[in-house]
Amino acid sequence: MKIKSGFAKREIAGSNIVVPVGKASMEFNGMITLNESGAFFWDCFCKDITVDEAVKMVTDEYEIDEATARKDIEGFVDMLRKNNLLCE
């Protein structure tokens, strides 16, 4: 799964903000603020990867156990799905 094109993540005043650009701005009205781990997850899903691959990337990057990483990533993916931000 992968995040749809048409979204730009920027760091503004220490905050990670995602905004729609171009055609995506007609379908998604607003912006998303991400914490540090959310920004890392976002970057992971800018590539076409599976949840299992994302879990591996997170456990390699952070000192976190696999179960916690999986729970956090699945919650993030649910948020992406609810907001129609994934192309699967």
Side-chain angles (χ1 to χ4, degrees):
M1 72 189 68
K2 181 179 178 181
I3 293 173
K4 289 180 177 180
S5 61
F7 293 88
K9 181 180 71 107
R10 300 285 186 259
E11 186 175 328
I12 301 171
S15 295
N16 290 291
I17 308 293
V18 175
V19 294
V21 293
K23 202 166 107 176
S25 64
M26 299 172 97
E27 298 170 6
F28 186 89
N29 186 14
M31 68 175 129
I32 301 167
T33 303
L34 302 170
N35 61 19
E36 181 183 337
S37 57
F40 185 84
F41 297 168
W42 183 273
D43 292 341
C44 289
F45 286 104
C46 282
K47 301 171 232 156
D48 191 11
I49 63 169
T50 65
V51 168
D52 289 339
E53 290 169 323
V55 168
K56 174 80 170 107
M57 293 170 77
V58 170
T59 57
D60 287 349
E61 180 72 19
Y62 295 100
E63 292 182 19
I64 187 172
D65 63 273
E66 185 177 330
T68 302
R70 182 170 301 281
K71 181 182 174 209
D72 291 349
I73 290 167
E74 287 174 351
F76 187 78
V77 168
D78 285 344
M79 180 276 299
L80 294 174
R81 279 193 179 114
K82 286 177 185 172
N83 289 285
N84 196 29
L85 297 174
L86 288 176
C87 48
E88 297 183 79

